[in-house]
Amino acid sequence: MRRLHRQQVDNMFIINCKNYNEISGEKINKLASIAEKISKKYKIQIAIAPPHHLLASIKKSKLLVFAQHLDDAKIGSTTGYMIPEIVKKSKVNGALINHSEHRISSKEIINLVKRLKKLKMKTVVCVKNVREAETYAKLNPTYIAIEPPELIGTGRAISNERPELITKSLLAVKKARNSTKLLCGAGIVTSDDVERAIELGSHGILVASGIVKSRNWNKDIEAVSYTHLRAHET
Ligand code: G3P
C-alpha cells in the first residue's frame, strides 16, 4: 500500500485471516503482534479473525478476536460445531455471521445475533446486497458488513467498483434507527480504497487477502490504520 497522507474513518478494522497459508501455525502470532502494536500506536480498534483452531491462542490485550463463523447449535452433544457460549469462555470477543464464503439461513442469523448479544459479544452480520443489509440491520447487530461476493479476493475494491453499494447500505442501516454501524469489504488493498470507503460512509473495513497475503504486514497494516484514523478525523 502506498503511504497515506490523508485519513479515514472510525475505529473498526477487521482482518479476516480465512484459511490462508500465510497465517498458518505460528505465523498467526506474528500477524497478531504487529496488529497489536499498530492498534496501540494509532489507537484504532483492530479485530483479527483467525481459523477456528487458533482462536484461543491469540492473547493480545488490545486486539479483538472474532470467530470467522459460529453455529446455532446447542451446548453439549454437538461434535464439531462452534458454539457462542463455549467460544466466549476462551475470550473470543465476537464473530462474523453469514460470511459470503459460509452462508447460513435467516433463522440461524437471527438466533446467533440473539445469542451473541446476550453474551455481550460483537456481531458482524455479512450481507451481499442492500436488501439483506436492510433486513438484518433490524436485528441490531453491532455491524452490518456489505461485501459483494464477486469482488472478494480480486484486489478490485468495493469502494471503487461498487460505491453505490456502500451509500445505499448505509441508508438501509440508518433506516433501522438503532446502534448498528456499517462496515464494508471485498477487494480492499490500497490506502485509497480504505479512504474512499470511509468517505462513502463506512464505519470501518474488513480486509483479508490485501493484508494476509502482503509481503509486509507491518507496512500495510500501518497504512490502513493511519488512513482509517485520519479519515475519521476529517
Ligand atoms: O471478510 C473479508 C473478505 O471477504 C474480503 O476479502 O480478500 O477481498 O479482502 P478480500
Side-chain angles (χ1 to χ4, degrees):
M1 288 186 192
R2 77 166 173 80
R3 203 165 165 74
L4 299 177
H5 298 289
R6 298 177 53 196
Q7 288 336 322
Q8 193 90 16
V9 164
D10 191 313
N11 276 342
M12 182 48 80
F13 165 21
I14 301 175
I15 303 173
N16 180 3
C17 299
K18 303 196 175 180
N19 277 309
Y20 284 122
N21 196 37
E22 285 81 350
I23 49 75
S24 58
E26 283 304 305
K27 292 181 265 185
I28 191 87
N29 290 316
K30 186 178 170 208
L31 178 70
S33 295
I34 292 171
E36 163 105 337
K37 185 186 75 185
I38 293 168
S39 157
K40 282 183 188 157
K41 179 172 174 187
Y42 290 102
K43 296 190 176 28
I44 180 169
Q45 184 62 72
I46 300 179
I48 186 165
H52 284 165
H53 67 291
L54 297 170
L55 274 169
S57 69
I58 298 178
K59 295 195 180 20
K60 299 289 173 190
S61 61
K62 290 287 171 194
L63 285 185
L64 295 180
V65 178
F66 287 176
Q68 295 179 9
H69 165 84
L70 288 176
D71 296 298
D72 182 32
K74 66 174 186 183
I75 300 171
S77 55
T78 44
T79 304
Y81 288 86
M82 293 286 294
I83 309 300
E85 292 77 6
I86 302 300
V87 298
K88 163 86 179 179
K89 291 191 175 153
S90 290
K91 313 270 184 255
V92 172
N93 308 100
L96 306 183
I97 295 171
N98 195 44
H99 190 277
S100 283
E101 293 157 4
H102 206 145
R103 300 266 291 178
I104 56 176
S105 71
S106 181
K107 184 166 171 256
E108 289 169 309
I109 296 171
I110 293 167
N111 290 346
L112 282 168
V113 170
K114 218 179 277 172
R115 286 172 73 171
L116 268 76
K117 282 172 76 151
K118 199 166 164 203
L119 293 163
K120 300 198 181 329
M121 293 171 76
K122 295 196 187 296
T123 45
V124 184
V125 176
C126 301
V127 298
K128 61 179 182 183
N129 57 40
V130 177
R131 185 183 54 77
E132 288 186 352
E134 184 168 343
T135 302
Y136 295 119
K138 291 178 191 148
L139 304 176
N140 196 16
T142 320
Y143 301 104
I144 288 287
I146 179 78
E147 294 201 314
E150 69 280 8
L151 294 179
I152 291 177
T154 63
R156 290 168 29 235
I158 177 174
S159 43
N160 297 319
E161 302 275 329
R162 304 287 311 277
E164 80 291 349
L165 261 189
I166 301 176
T167 49
K168 287 183 182 167
S169 297
L170 182 64
L171 290 177
V173 167
K174 282 189 172 161
K175 228 168 150 183
R177 294 181 177 278
N178 56 29
S179 56
T180 301
K181 296 193 167 85
L182 181 72
L183 305 179
C184 73
I188 292 179
V189 176
T190 70
S191 301
D192 286 341
D193 300 338
V194 179
E195 185 168 32
R196 181 96 179 104
I198 303 303
E199 279 170 3
L200 289 164
S202 187
H203 191 79
I205 51 158
L206 284 92
V207 185
S209 52
I211 295 292
V212 179
K213 294 173 86 66
S214 149
R215 273 177 289 178
N216 192 335
W217 287 339
N218 202 77
K219 177 171 150 280
D220 287 344
I221 296 175
E222 181 148 14
V224 169
S225 302
Y226 176 73
T227 306
H228 214 278
L229 187 69
R230 292 286 303 272
H232 275 278
E233 282 170 2
T234 55

